[in-house]
Amino acid sequence: MAFGTNDKVLTKELAKQIDLILFAHDNDGSKLVGILLDIQEVIPNHYIPTEVAYYLADKLDVKITTIYDCITFYSSISDKPRAKYPIQVCNSIVCKINHNDNLFETLKELLNIDLNETTYDGRFTLESVACFGGCDVAPAVRVNGKVYGHLTTKEKIADMLNELI
Amino acid sequence: MSKAVCFMTKNFGKYDVKSIGSYMAIGGFNALKKAVNMTGEEIASTLATAKIKGRGGAGYDMGKKWSQAKSVIADNKVVVCNADEGEPCTFKDRTLIEHDPFNLIEGMIIAGYTVDAQNGYIYLREEYSHLRPLILDAIKQAKTYGFLGENILGKGFNYNIHLYSGAGAYVCGEGTALVESIEGKSGRPRMKPPFIKQCGLYNLPTCVNNVESLSLVSSILLDDEKKYLTYGTEGSVGTKLVSVGGNVKNPGVFEIPFGVTVRDIVYGLAGGIVDDNEIKLIQFGGASGKIATKSILDTPYTYEDLRKDGVGVGSGAILVVDERTSVIDFLRTTQEFFSHESCGQCTPCREGNRHIKLLLKKVAESTHTTADLASMRKIAKIMAMSSLCGLGETAQSALVSAMKNFEEAFQIK
Ligand SMILES: Cc1cc2nc3c(=O)[nH]c(=O)nc-3n(C[C@H](O)[C@H](O)[C@H](O)COP(=O)(O)O)c2cc1C
Ligand code: SF4
């Protein structure tokens, strides 16, 4: 089943969870984008492992290329493991002119990682994303669907991180 | 004095957004009850009288769109609500859904009734996933109350609404890319024709509208006193939601009557510039919009006046950038956005964005030549003329307007 991969993430429990998600989407392959997003949410590292992609191809009777076309096309879907708390920093213009450079630098310093890296304990990944509509609270980050804004000082940024864990 | 008004935002804070009963207590679904006693043509012509232009950016006449959609002969049609809201500095649709979700649902049902559709689809950007439960719950309650499902209000009208999620791709706001995405594929725009109004989602005639456009419908239908027509100017009737952001003291979404000046919006509603800095530039309509100098402050915010001054309403975003940011840095950030968001399907957009990005880097480093500037103009023109979709067509709007309005930023040193 694993098609030449070594990651054994597709446990029986996960398969069951995935089946439930598929059921909620009427086992309809045309609902692929939503399915991938929902699965990504229940996988602790918030990504679509190869095994899972093949499992879906099989279950939904969709070509594996279609699945990877989606995974690689959409920014919100990842085929690489991420942290438990992926910190998505907005890199678009409104946050930029509200000093997201300070936000980026402070996060790097506090977490001791660079952009697109994960902390040693697997808790945080630092990501740079396009505008998510938090312009009224810029500079902002988004973590697992929740927006945290007005992150202008080191204290506020540290508070945000503390709130997460 | 505040220049903001409450026409389409009149329900904000007036009911419990989680309860259909509380929405009905303030007159919710009265517009639908009225609509089902009208013909689709009558509804479309009511919108045409109010001269509503689509609020997604392109500004297409909404009454005309609905009457065209109605006149397409097909057994099966669909309505799509575009809630992809991907233009940077645009967050009005989010505000509408957060504060008045049932009004959007009602607008979508009326849209379905008007054009004879059986299904409506809301395409919500992934970035707004926190709004999914609210929308799903609103759909469920509307179904329980018989406003969705079979034989709605006893008129033999069958209609359902489905919620689909985007996954972080700006280009999916473009109609054909959006329907590709709902169909479970990557969101690459289709060749046109056929246009989606004839052949769109699942190859069915598809009527796509923005959240704000649909949110206006109920208020317009119930506006017996024609209050809406008293707002605005002759060329730009009514009100508009603007989302103001950037270096302003009080960023936010405001409903303004067309015709207030840009100054009223920036200094009145949005509270002026942080630290009372000077304005460097203002961008209208999101990243795909044009930029102007502060000389635009006294221009009335209308379709016609903004156009005269070389900019446009677009998505309703107003991005104010103060003197601390240079024009070139601003353009490079915008370019970064388009380089990332181009789907790469057609050459002018894919390669054009790449080249402009490199050329802007040279400008930033002051190593550019006259020939580089000429190349930029030429590439921008080719992109606008020959890209497959609106993304490539408008990606260089900011650059072209900057080269005109901020010539000094491109001076050769
Ligand atoms: C690249 C691109 C992105 C777009 N993004 C959006 C969007 O996020 N929301 C939206 O309503 N319209 C967007 N549009 C415009 C839509 O294609 C379409 O014109 C609009 O949804 C129609 O609705 P309206 O007539 O009510 O404005 C976009 C267009 C392009 C070319
Ligand atoms: S213009 Fe750009 S986004 Fe649009 S189809 Fe071409 S490459 Fe894709």
Side-chain angles (χ1 to χ4, degrees):
Chain A
M1 186 67 228
F3 295 94
T5 65
N6 294 322
D7 43 352
K8 293 219 171 16
V9 266
L10 188 59
T11 55
K12 271 215 176 86
E13 293 87 89
L14 181 58
K16 212 187 267 167
Q17 270 179 304
I18 292 178
D19 290 348
L20 280 175
I21 290 172
L22 295 181
F23 180 73
H25 288 270
D26 311 317
N27 285 302
D28 180 352
S30 83
K31 297 188 175 165
L32 186 59
V33 180
I35 290 173
L36 289 170
L37 286 171
D38 284 357
I39 293 176
Q40 189 171 261
E41 204 164 301
V42 300
I43 290 180
N45 288 327
H46 305 300
Y47 78 118
I48 304 292
T50 322
E51 285 171 88
V52 171
Y54 277 94
Y55 183 73
L56 288 178
D58 194 34
K59 278 266 171 176
L60 294 170
D61 198 19
V62 200
K63 287 200 196 83
I64 188 72
T65 46
T66 307
I67 294 182
Y68 272 97
D69 184 29
C70 282
I71 295 177
T72 52
F73 180 84
Y74 294 105
S75 303
S76 309
I77 307 176
S78 173
D79 59 351
K80 292 187 189 60
R82 297 152 81 209
K84 193 167 172 206
Y85 304 109
I87 311 224
Q88 302 182 306
V89 185
C90 170
N91 63 19
S92 290
I93 188 68
V94 183
C95 282
K96 188 117 174 176
I97 62 174
N98 279 294
H99 304 293
N100 68 352
D101 50 342
N102 173 55
L103 176 54
F104 270 117
E105 291 315 313
T106 310
L107 281 168
K108 283 181 193 169
E109 184 198 319
L110 289 173
L111 299 172
N112 198 18
I113 49 173
D114 229 322
L115 196 58
N116 298 321
E117 285 180 1
T118 302
T119 51
Y120 72 94
D121 56 3
R123 282 202 296 195
F124 303 101
T125 313
L126 192 55
E127 301 176 355
S128 167
V129 300
C131 179
F132 45 77
C135 319
D136 46 348
V137 294
V141 304
R142 187 168 172 260
V143 188
N144 290 332
K146 189 165 173 208
V147 173
Y148 300 82
H150 298 301
L151 299 174
T152 45
T153 62
K154 194 167 175 176
E155 288 69 44
K156 288 184 192 168
I157 297 168
D159 284 350
M160 178 273 295
L161 292 176
N162 283 325
E163 197 183 310
L164 289 175
I165 51 180
Chain B
M1 193 189 80
S2 171
K3 300 274 182 180
V5 294
C6 284
F7 183 81
M8 72 179 110
T9 54
K10 66 178 187 308
N11 294 345
F12 281 29
K14 294 278 159 47
Y15 75 97
D16 171 9
V17 293
K18 294 198 172 93
S19 151
I20 195 168
S22 123
Y23 178 62
M24 289 168 70
I26 60 160
F29 289 103
N30 284 349
L32 176 64
K33 288 173 192 157
K34 182 169 177 182
V36 293
N37 289 310
M38 297 165 76
T39 64
E41 287 84 0
E42 281 166 357
I43 297 171
S45 93
T46 308
L47 297 181
T49 312
K51 296 193 186 155
I52 300 174
K53 294 194 170 82
R55 301 298 168 85
Y60 192 78
D61 184 321
M62 192 171 172
K64 193 160 149 194
K65 184 185 278 187
W66 281 26
S67 89
Q68 285 172 339
K70 162 90 186 164
S71 66
V72 174
I73 296 165
D75 294 334
N76 221 328
K77 297 183 197 172
V78 297
V79 163
V80 170
C81 166
N82 191 340
D84 198 45
E85 191 155 66
E87 280 295 353
C89 202
T90 311
F91 44 103
K92 64 181 178 74
D93 296 342
R94 187 197 81 202
T95 309
L96 278 168
I97 298 171
E98 279 169 350
H99 293 93
D100 202 1
F102 282 104
N103 180 37
L104 174 62
I105 300 293
E106 186 173 1
M108 275 191 80
I109 303 173
I110 297 172
Y113 172 81
T114 304
V115 310
D116 303 323
Q118 285 81 355
N119 288 290
Y121 296 82
I122 301 176
Y123 186 76
L124 182 73
R125 69 188 307 219
E126 186 276 331
E127 289 79 353
Y128 293 170
S129 58
H130 60 287
L131 298 174
R132 283 181 65 83
L134 187 67
I135 299 174
L136 285 172
D137 194 43
I139 294 173
K140 204 166 134 201
Q141 292 185 51
K143 206 176 254 169
T144 313
Y145 275 69
F147 297 122
L148 285 171
E150 307 278 303
N151 193 19
I152 295 166
L153 295 172
K155 296 286 175 185
F157 164 52
N158 306 330
Y159 186 70
N160 280 302
I161 296 181
H162 317 269
L163 177 63
Y164 275 70
S165 181
Y170 164 75
V171 70
C172 287
E174 196 271 350
T176 61
L178 189 159
V179 301
E180 284 284 303
S181 181
I182 295 187
E183 290 179 6
K185 294 175 261 179
S186 58
R188 292 196 175 80
R190 294 178 184 167
M191 285 275 220
K192 284 158 279 205
F195 294 99
I196 48 176
K197 59 182 168 193
Q198 280 117 16
C199 175
L201 183 58
Y202 309 123
N203 294 332
L204 300 174
T206 304
C207 180
V208 185
N209 275 118
N210 171 259
V211 171
E212 184 184 340
S213 311
L214 290 163
S215 297
L216 255 171
V217 172
S218 299
S219 305
I220 297 286
L221 285 189
L222 292 176
D223 186 21
D224 292 327
E225 289 134 47
K226 305 263 180 277
K227 189 154 178 235
Y228 186 77
L229 304 183
T230 63
Y231 294 119
T233 64
E234 206 178 321
S236 305
V237 177
T239 69
K240 170 87 189 87
L241 288 192
V242 291
S243 52
V244 192
N247 299 126
V248 292
K249 287 181 189 157
N250 177 28
V253 173
F254 308 97
E255 181 174 6
I256 53 132
F258 280 111
V260 298
T261 63
V262 177
R263 186 186 300 279
D264 289 333
I265 300 172
V266 173
Y267 284 92
L269 297 169
I273 315 303
V274 283
D275 299 333
D276 295 322
N277 288 331
E278 286 292 315
I279 294 176
K280 171 66 117 253
L281 63 93
I282 306 182
Q283 184 175 38
F284 292 84
S288 67
K290 295 174 182 151
I291 66 176
T293 65
K294 64 182 172 204
S295 68
I296 200 150
L297 281 172
D298 292 309
T299 299
Y301 190 88
T302 65
Y303 290 106
E304 61 278 14
D305 291 292
L306 290 181
R307 191 178 322 116
K308 233 184 284 159
D309 280 0
V311 294
V313 168
S315 67
I318 301 177
L319 168 61
V320 187
V321 180
D322 72 21
E323 61 202 346
R324 290 171 299 169
T325 305
S326 78
V327 173
I328 300 299
D329 280 347
F330 170 86
L331 291 172
R332 289 184 77 189
T333 307
T334 306
Q335 185 52 49
E336 202 63 56
F337 175 76
F338 284 112
S339 299
H340 181 257
E341 297 300 334
S342 164
C343 84
Q345 177 174 225
C346 69
T347 316
C349 172
R350 182 186 63 239
E351 300 304 318
N353 276 319
R354 221 164 62 89
H355 282 277
I356 299 271
K357 183 174 163 179
L358 294 173
L359 290 165
L360 275 174
K361 181 161 180 276
K362 284 182 88 174
V363 179
E365 291 162 352
S366 297
T367 55
H368 60 297
T369 62
T370 320
D372 290 331
L373 294 181
S375 289
M376 282 164 85
R377 284 202 181 85
K378 187 167 155 195
I379 296 168
K381 194 166 165 192
I382 293 172
M383 286 174 70
M385 277 178 5
S386 57
S387 291
L388 185 60
C389 86
L391 187 148
E393 282 167 2
T394 57
Q396 301 311 332
S397 299
L399 174 70
V400 173
S401 55
M403 290 180 94
K404 191 161 152 247
N405 299 330
F406 297 89
E407 240 176 306
E408 68 290 349
F410 297 86
Q411 233 162 37
I412 289 160
K413 301 205 174 91

